[in-house]
Amino acid sequence: MNKNGIAFSRFHPVSLFCYFLLLLLFTVFTQNPVLLTLALLGALLFNAATNTARQTLADIKFYVPMFLLVALVNPLFSHSGATPLFFMNDNPVTLEAVLCGVNIAVQLCAVMLACKAFSKVMESDKLLALFGKVSPKLAVVLSMALRFIPLLKRKWGEISEAQKALGYFREESVFSRLASYARVFSALVTWALENAVDTSASMSARGYELAGKKHFSLFRFTRGDGIMLALTVALSAVTLAGFLLGKADFAFYPRVSTVNTDIFSIITYAAFGILSLLPFIFEVKEVLKWKYLRSKI
Amino acid sequence: MEILALKDLSFRYPTEEKDTLSHVSLAIEEGEFCVLCGGSGCGKTTLMKLIKRELAPHGALSGEIRFCGKKQSELSSRESAAGIGYVLQNPEAQVITDKVWHELSFGLENLGYDADFIRLRIGEMANYFGIAHIFREGTAHLSGGQKQLLSLAAVMAMSPKLLLLDEPTSQLDPIAASDFIATLKKINRELGTTVIIAEHRLEELFPIADKVAFMEQGTLLSFGTPREVCRELAAHKISLGFPTAARIWQKLGGGGEAPLTVREGRKFLAEFCAKNAPISQKNDKEKTETSKKTLGGTPALTLSGVYFRYEKNTPDILRGATLDLREGEFFCLLGANGAGKTTVLRASAGLLKPYRGKVQTHGKRAVMLPQNVQNVFIKNTVREDIEDMLATRGASKEEIPTKTAEIAEKLGVSHLLEKHPYDVSGGEAQKCALAKVLAAAPQILLLDEPTKAIDPAAKRELARIIRELCAEGTAVLAVTHDVEFAAENADRCALFFDGEILAPAAPQAFFDANNFYTTAASRISRGILENAVTEADIVRLAGGVK
Amino acid sequence: MKKTQILKYLILLVCVPAAVLLGALVFDDRKYIFVSACVAVLSCVPFFMSFEGKKTSTKRLVLLAVMVAFSVAGRYIFAFLPHFKPVTAIVVITGIYLGSEIGFLCGALSALISGFIFGLGPWTPFQMFAWGLIGLLSALLSAILKKNKIALCTFGALSGVLYSLLLDVVSTLWYDGAFNLSRYLALFVTALPVTAVYAVSNVIFLFLLAKPMGEKLERIKIKYGL
């Protein structure tokens, strides 16, 4: 990961949201193995580029078994398909089902990894900025909740320590521990609710009940954000055209169809490929730029 | 021009039989810095909340409140919201959003300003209040001082004409409190914002205040410049919470102008001593007796060369801390914030395991009262909490009620037993928490910042309770910032610095040896009187021969 | 009940499950997963809209934030017990004591914030919907649940099962793109231990927390006039 954070995350939340929404839509709606592989590749590369070594290891531990499980389980349940490989409990295990299982696994991993990328790029600030545009009131609630969570965790520590110092806290068995926890939890509730009343006083004092509120966020929509949005829309439009023309169609049953290789299909693949690889491209570009700048110093 | 005028204001809560405020009249000029003081429960908070319409409590109100010449009821909601800023006591609760920048913009969003205006204004605020470096941080992990400063900045962003602050520094350590007050002074002097602040720590506020309003039981006892109020109240023998210089002046007869700062206090004392011959150290019988008192009693808590760190890769917090606490002794450990004083208490309470050195309690039970006393309560009434503690300690069903009554009597909280722990005032809450702690029958009592957030009267009460406990043989170890409290009440004091407990000694010797980390009384009397570290010392020595 | 309210319940209790079923039976394509996610999100919309549009007291707003924070922070606090999460219990309590709207929002927003913190995923809309629904149902049944501890615990266990059932549907859809009963059953059976833990943890948390939290909420409501 480059030292200045994730390059892609510097775009405006609206651009980012549109990007991921369109990417996920296409990924969910297609069964075309080429497109799905491209989607997986983009998400995989981006995550690999922005992960620490430890995160990558954790991801491998999680995604590889999931991939295998999904791929292997499908043929056990799905018996359609024209090419039986062998029989299990009098049920055919077909080539189509096996391939379809792999395809589903690719799709699932692509979607999960894209969601992971989305979470990486959209910090709570950005999500709140987006949410605030639609529902300012809920955005405030979410913002308050996000503040309360670390506060509760800390207060939890304080109260349990105070109770331990009084000789209250018991941890001999799971049940006594649970009972002790519930006791402290209930004290925490009292504290939080009393505080909530002060918080609401503070809100009223700062004019929360006034009419004519406006929503503010630190993010500004710049030309770069516009270009990025336009690029996303353009690539999506080409991909969509490909979808509508049937270039992305693919079926596994009864027989696996062949991959389209006409010029329109290639264009569709290319457009979607670029779309899916965009975050990774930005990341690489930034790393190279810094290398270049540093070499000049 | 008068910015705020109260005419014959009375108020009564629906559930109370007496007026919480009765016939309060006062007028504040634009640009004035006004301090509102008085013991807890005197009606300060109620008065402040009535001035801020959005927070006004329900109840029977008579009289009139005028803001900028307009009746309160005639103000538009915008005028009231933006024109009067309000900062509350609790730093934890009054921060609203999760990010610092969002906190600054919150009020401006409510006022409906454009994004560009807000962007500029919050930038200005972050710079003026010196919080630019935390602009994009989360609010949850800020220190108490930073939180209060942020709340002040967030209120000031709305550019109020009048700023109300309800005990804003009571939860802060002395250094953060000084910073906060310095910022307030800056706002008042540089921006001309009118300030009304309710406080009971007045040492630093009196010198910068234009007006002081002193309240007692809902009435305005005195209103005027700080010196006028000092003179007027000298006759009433009310001086709790006043600056040390003013209290000494008052107790030594109170002629002429009241001194408010250490500098003025020194001048006054020097002149006073030139006129009246003070007692010299040699002749001070009382002093020699107290300082001769040797370490008695059997050891209660012994720390020998204790080392501790929270994590493997973090620096040591305790670095060979050594302490010998005796039965019946009251020991105060002083030191800067974040130095690790509380860690000493945690180690003593057995909450932490040192990696080197020993903590011995000699078979005695050590119980700790945390800094935030509310952490002690887990039930719905004070009585249930005390009874629960007794039951946990194995008291039989029959003796619980009598024991509860006994403890409550001892601490003077019998009238609070049926109340919810969150419905009592700061000083009362502390006594109730102490009651619960005493129900655990501690032989070693560990107190973390016991004088924080309580008023001077409650502090005196606390000192009385600690004295009584010590007399019964309980050993008390307190960590505190409050040098005055330590000087007046401790048997021994020590400085905690760099992981060690330095120079344990009787308070007189301890504070007399310190030049900077010492009491205001010691700073006032240095070079004028010998060995005077408390206000009582000065009054006794200077008043002497008469 | 007002018309909008009736509409709201209609959408939630009739339209959405109907759409889920219909989709499961009729759609034979991958589109289904997306359609159902849309349904889940859409079902939250009427609540969000009516909440945005009307005046809510600031105190209730902050209480909602606190309850959401509790349900998320509870995951850290009780982390020593795997799968023991107090989220459902707190959503149920919120529903009972603060009404259907706050109950629903508490559930939905808890899921959303969990997503903010632990990562958003395809499951987020369904979690929002499931917990929101649980909050809503507990508000509707509040009269019984407040008084009867057995009913409360049963409700807790059932909501654990409901949550599990719903999210299993989603998982099945992922595999097949359409609803495959045999796979669903297989999944349900494999997930049975987890479901059981959900149910048991809900019962335990409700048993331990419902009374004290309820008392405290009632006290705050009285003390500060909500």
Side-chain angles (χ1 to χ4, degrees):
Chain A
M1 182 166 66
N2 74 65
K3 288 185 192 71
N4 307 291
I6 300 167
F8 201 57
S9 76
R10 276 193 282 286
F11 286 108
H12 193 273
V14 169
S15 301
L16 291 176
F17 183 74
C18 290
Y19 170 81
F20 280 103
L21 186 68
L22 287 164
L23 179 73
L24 283 170
L25 266 175
F26 289 130
T27 313
V28 167
F29 265 89
T30 187
Q31 268 188 293
N32 187 310
V34 177
L35 292 178
L36 289 178
T37 311
L38 285 169
L40 180 62
L41 190 71
L44 210 59
L45 285 174
F46 175 73
N47 275 294
T50 51
N51 268 353
T52 59
R54 183 180 292 186
Q55 284 172 324
T56 308
L57 199 71
D59 279 359
I60 290 172
K61 272 191 202 150
F62 178 77
Y63 284 100
V64 171
M66 190 182 79
F67 185 96
L68 292 176
L69 187 78
V70 174
L72 293 178
V73 160
N74 189 57
L76 300 182
F77 283 95
S78 173
H79 307 296
S80 332
T83 330
L85 295 173
F86 56 90
F87 283 83
M88 233 168 95
N89 300 338
D90 294 335
N91 278 323
V93 172
T94 64
L95 176 70
E96 287 80 9
V98 171
L99 290 177
C100 182
V102 172
N103 204 47
I104 291 172
V106 169
Q107 182 180 41
L108 186 64
C109 287
V111 169
M112 300 268 280
L113 285 168
C115 284
K116 200 175 146 84
F118 179 74
S119 301
K120 270 189 184 176
V121 166
M122 296 287 268
E123 305 92 351
S124 61
D125 259 15
K126 291 202 189 99
L127 288 166
L128 284 184
L130 268 183
F131 224 82
K133 279 191 198 299
V134 187
S135 169
K137 206 159 148 188
L138 282 176
V140 169
V141 173
L142 288 173
S143 174
M144 284 194 284
L146 281 171
R147 185 183 79 89
F148 276 126
I149 291 164
L151 222 55
L152 290 178
K153 280 199 267 179
R154 201 181 65 218
K155 193 70 184 175
W156 166 263
E158 281 178 25
I159 298 178
S160 29
E161 190 187 79
Q163 299 301 324
K164 270 181 203 161
L166 287 173
Y168 253 137
F169 220 81
R170 288 171 194 278
E171 302 191 81
E172 293 102 44
S173 68
V174 170
F175 194 77
S176 66
R177 193 166 167 186
L178 199 62
S180 299
Y181 270 52
R183 232 171 139 96
V184 175
F185 199 81
S186 128
L188 186 66
V189 172
T190 312
W191 175 82
L193 294 181
E194 292 285 339
N195 262 270
V197 175
D198 263 4
T199 307
S200 70
S202 175
M203 289 171 78
S204 308
R206 286 193 235 159
Y208 188 69
E209 278 111 16
L210 288 179
K213 277 194 274 288
K214 278 206 178 129
H215 176 71
F216 172 79
S217 87
L218 276 183
F219 305 100
R220 244 191 297 207
F221 198 85
T222 60
R223 224 169 66 107
D225 298 317
I227 294 172
M228 162 69 195
L229 188 60
L231 192 63
T232 307
V233 171
L235 289 170
S236 303
V238 175
T239 314
L240 185 65
F243 266 63
L244 295 178
L245 291 171
K247 300 297 172 194
D249 287 356
F250 199 86
F252 284 92
Y253 307 115
R255 259 173 225 291
V256 180
S257 35
T258 47
V259 174
N260 290 328
T261 48
D262 58 306
I263 184 76
F264 270 122
S265 305
I266 304 275
I267 291 173
T268 309
Y269 301 153
F272 183 75
I274 296 172
L275 185 71
S276 143
L277 283 162
L278 265 185
F280 178 66
I281 293 170
F282 276 102
E283 195 64 22
V284 171
K285 194 183 115 198
E286 177 125 324
V287 171
L288 291 179
K289 198 160 85 190
W290 278 102
K291 275 219 174 106
Y292 173 68
L293 282 176
R294 195 164 305 142
S295 68
K296 267 174 72 170
I297 303 165
Chain B
M1 196 190 95
E2 269 176 15
I3 191 160
L4 179 76
L6 308 180
K7 264 187 218 136
D8 202 29
L9 198 69
S10 295
F11 181 78
R12 180 182 299 192
Y13 283 99
T15 52
E16 302 279 319
E17 284 159 20
K18 259 181 18 197
D19 280 354
T20 303
L21 291 176
S22 65
H23 309 290
V24 175
S25 299
L26 57 81
I28 311 272
E29 296 288 316
E30 198 173 345
E32 277 187 329
F33 193 110
C34 176
V35 177
L36 188 60
C37 50
S40 27
C42 71
K44 292 187 300 248
T45 302
T46 307
L47 181 63
M48 301 266 265
K49 287 201 165 155
L50 286 173
I51 298 171
K52 177 82 180 166
R53 193 173 65 191
E54 288 81 357
L55 304 182
H58 295 288
L61 177 75
S62 66
E64 195 183 71
I65 301 172
R66 276 176 183 274
F67 174 65
C68 291
K70 264 194 196 175
K71 271 191 185 169
Q72 192 185 44
S73 51
E74 288 162 5
L75 292 172
S76 71
S77 39
R78 203 186 159 86
E79 277 173 318
S80 174
I84 304 178
Y86 198 102
V87 176
L88 292 90
Q89 177 175 8
N90 187 347
E92 224 58 283
Q94 65 176 321
V95 174
I96 299 160
T97 62
D98 63 330
K99 290 287 158 74
V100 169
W101 65 265
H102 197 184
E103 192 66 20
L104 291 173
S105 71
F106 184 81
L108 298 168
E109 284 175 70
N110 295 338
L111 293 177
Y113 286 115
D114 287 333
D116 287 328
F117 178 86
I118 296 180
R119 199 179 294 276
L120 184 63
R121 174 62 67 79
I122 61 177
E124 250 188 294
M125 285 296 132
N127 275 306
Y128 190 84
F129 288 89
I131 47 177
H133 61 293
I134 51 169
F135 187 66
R136 279 174 188 265
E137 307 241 313
T139 51
H141 298 292
L142 303 180
S143 70
Q146 283 176 321
K147 279 184 188 160
Q148 283 303 66
L149 215 53
L150 174 60
S151 298
L152 180 61
V155 167
M156 286 307 295
M158 300 167 78
S159 33
K161 291 185 189 139
L162 172 65
L163 185 59
L164 303 170
L165 304 107
D166 187 9
E167 302 191 10
T169 68
S170 69
Q171 308 277 337
L172 307 183
D173 66 75
I175 294 160
S178 295
D179 280 352
F180 189 85
I181 289 171
T183 310
L184 271 185
K185 184 181 169 190
K186 187 168 137 179
I187 290 171
N188 176 254
R189 301 293 197 266
E190 289 179 7
L191 308 174
T193 311
T194 313
V195 174
I196 302 180
I197 176 171
E199 259 304 342
H200 37 65
R201 266 209 322 224
L202 306 171
E203 195 82 42
E204 287 167 81
L205 282 173
F206 262 47
I208 56 173
D210 298 308
K211 289 276 171 63
V212 171
F214 194 95
M215 290 180 64
E216 198 179 63
Q217 293 181 337
T219 57
L220 192 63
L221 210 59
S222 175
F223 180 63
T225 66
R227 288 183 218 280
E228 281 168 11
V229 169
C230 282
R231 192 177 316 130
E232 199 169 320
L233 294 182
H236 285 71
K237 300 265 178 226
I238 293 171
S239 63
L240 276 185
F242 282 14
T244 314
R247 284 207 306 260
I248 292 170
W249 166 82
Q250 203 179 329
K251 285 190 178 143
L252 289 175
E257 289 275 272
L260 299 176
T261 61
V262 167
R263 193 176 65 176
E264 290 169 5
R266 285 183 66 83
K267 189 162 165 259
F268 162 76
L269 191 64
E271 282 166 11
F272 185 88
C273 289
K275 272 186 259 168
N276 313 281
I279 303 176
S280 71
Q281 198 190 2
K282 268 179 265 167
N283 303 330
D284 187 13
K285 280 183 199 154
E286 207 174 316
K287 174 66 59 60
T288 22
E289 273 160 27
T290 50
S291 59
K292 264 187 185 164
K293 190 176 153 194
T294 47
L295 230 54
T298 52
L301 173 73
T302 316
L303 271 63
S304 31
V306 172
Y307 281 76
F308 177 79
R309 60 176 69 160
Y310 280 95
E311 255 147 68
K312 211 177 161 193
N313 306 324
T314 56
D316 283 334
I317 305 290
L318 304 182
R319 227 185 294 258
T322 300
L323 173 76
D324 175 28
L325 182 71
R326 298 301 175 102
E327 258 180 12
E329 184 185 26
F330 178 32
F331 192 108
C332 277
L333 190 57
L334 298 136
N337 224 30
K341 299 192 301 289
T342 304
T343 311
V344 176
L345 290 189
R346 288 201 183 121
S348 307
L351 293 169
L352 308 171
K353 291 272 164 285
Y355 71 86
R356 196 191 299 166
K358 249 201 232 163
V359 177
Q360 290 166 287
T361 50
H362 308 283
K364 294 184 163 59
R365 190 183 300 119
V367 177
M368 179 168 135
L369 180 67
Q371 184 172 141
N372 191 339
V373 294
Q374 284 176 333
N375 293 345
V376 161
F377 303 113
I378 49 176
K379 296 281 177 185
N380 291 332
T381 65
V382 176
R383 177 190 294 282
E384 281 175 52
D385 255 305
I386 298 176
E387 291 182 347
D388 192 46
M389 188 77 242
L390 286 168
T392 314
R393 281 289 172 216
S396 68
K397 270 221 172 86
E398 297 78 49
E399 53 181 359
I400 284 179
T402 48
K403 276 203 169 175
T404 307
E406 227 171 82
I407 292 169
E409 183 69 26
K410 190 168 167 184
L411 295 185
V413 294
S414 305
H415 61 295
L416 302 172
L417 280 178
E418 307 310 327
K419 286 212 172 185
H420 193 283
Y422 279 75
D423 288 344
V424 298
S425 76
E428 289 171 342
Q430 197 185 35
K431 283 198 279 182
C432 295
L434 252 176
K436 180 165 181 185
V437 168
L438 291 188
Q443 288 143 314
I444 304 164
L445 180 60
L446 307 164
L447 304 171
D448 192 359
E449 298 288 358
T451 60
K452 192 171 172 177
I454 62 175
D455 69 1
K459 235 189 246 189
R460 279 217 299 222
E461 185 69 5
L462 177 70
R464 175 190 70 78
I465 294 165
I466 293 176
R467 282 268 134 255
E468 273 183 36
L469 289 172
C470 287
E472 289 164 17
T474 312
V476 182
L477 172 64
V479 303
T480 181
H481 283 296
D482 193 333
V483 284
E484 265 77 24
F485 183 76
E488 279 162 27
N489 302 298
D491 292 318
R492 279 193 299 160
C493 298
L495 185 69
F496 185 83
F497 180 72
D498 197 32
E500 279 188 282
I501 296 170
L502 303 174
Q508 266 122 11
F510 178 81
F511 287 109
D512 204 45
N514 291 355
N515 267 323
F516 300 96
Y517 203 82
T518 187
T519 58
S522 167
R523 278 181 270 142
I524 288 172
S525 66
R526 188 162 300 264
I528 303 171
L529 294 168
E530 289 168 77
N531 253 348
V533 296
T534 65
E535 185 194 315
D537 286 343
I538 294 183
V539 173
R540 194 183 63 243
L541 293 173
V545 188
K546 273 188 283 184
Chain C
M1 242 192 287
K2 272 188 248 152
K3 257 185 197 162
T4 49
Q5 285 234 296
I6 296 170
L7 199 71
K8 221 159 64 183
Y9 290 129
L10 217 64
I11 290 178
L12 271 162
L13 298 174
V14 182
C15 295
V16 174
V20 172
L21 266 178
L22 204 75
L25 299 172
V26 176
F27 275 107
D28 204 33
D29 200 1
R30 308 246 91 221
K31 291 178 193 74
Y32 178 70
I33 182 73
F34 191 75
V35 170
S36 57
C38 282
V39 167
V41 172
L42 283 176
S43 63
C44 298
V45 168
F47 278 91
F48 290 176
M49 265 168 46
S50 77
F51 185 68
E52 188 64 36
K54 80 171 182 221
K55 257 182 114 72
T56 317
S57 89
T58 311
K59 281 171 196 153
R60 280 177 79 84
L61 218 61
V62 186
L63 281 186
L64 169 61
V66 169
M67 296 312 275
V68 170
F70 260 115
S71 68
V72 180
R75 293 169 71 132
Y76 293 100
I77 291 170
F78 293 95
F80 72 103
L81 293 165
H83 300 293
F84 264 58
K85 311 246 161 11
V87 186
T88 311
I90 287 169
V91 171
V92 170
I93 294 168
T94 309
I96 295 176
Y97 290 95
L98 296 175
S100 61
E101 188 176 48
I102 300 281
F104 181 89
L105 289 171
C106 177
L109 297 184
S110 297
L112 196 61
I113 293 236
S114 297
F116 281 18
I117 295 171
F118 305 103
L120 293 156
W123 56 84
T124 306
F126 301 99
Q127 266 187 343
M128 284 172 72
F129 173 66
W131 276 330
L133 195 66
I134 290 170
L136 181 77
L137 286 176
S138 49
L140 294 180
L141 300 172
S142 67
I144 310 161
L145 297 179
K146 244 186 218 178
K147 282 191 205 109
N148 191 334
K149 207 149 195 177
I150 297 168
L152 181 70
C153 289
T154 317
F155 181 77
L158 285 178
S159 53
V161 175
L162 176 81
Y163 177 84
S164 218
L165 281 175
L166 199 95
L167 281 157
D168 284 344
V169 171
V170 177
S171 309
T172 315
L173 293 171
W174 264 110
Y175 288 116
D176 275 339
F179 191 77
N180 180 326
L181 191 65
S182 64
R183 183 168 303 198
Y184 179 70
L185 288 177
L187 200 73
F188 183 70
V189 171
T190 29
L192 214 51
V194 180
T195 309
V197 173
Y198 277 146
V200 170
S201 68
N202 287 349
V203 171
I204 291 180
F205 279 124
L206 279 173
F207 186 77
L208 288 173
L209 300 179
K211 194 167 157 265
M213 270 186 116
E215 277 174 4
K216 277 155 214 228
L217 282 168
E218 293 288 1
R219 180 185 119 80
I220 285 287
K221 285 203 300 206
I222 294 165
K223 184 174 169 189
Y224 298 102
L226 282 166

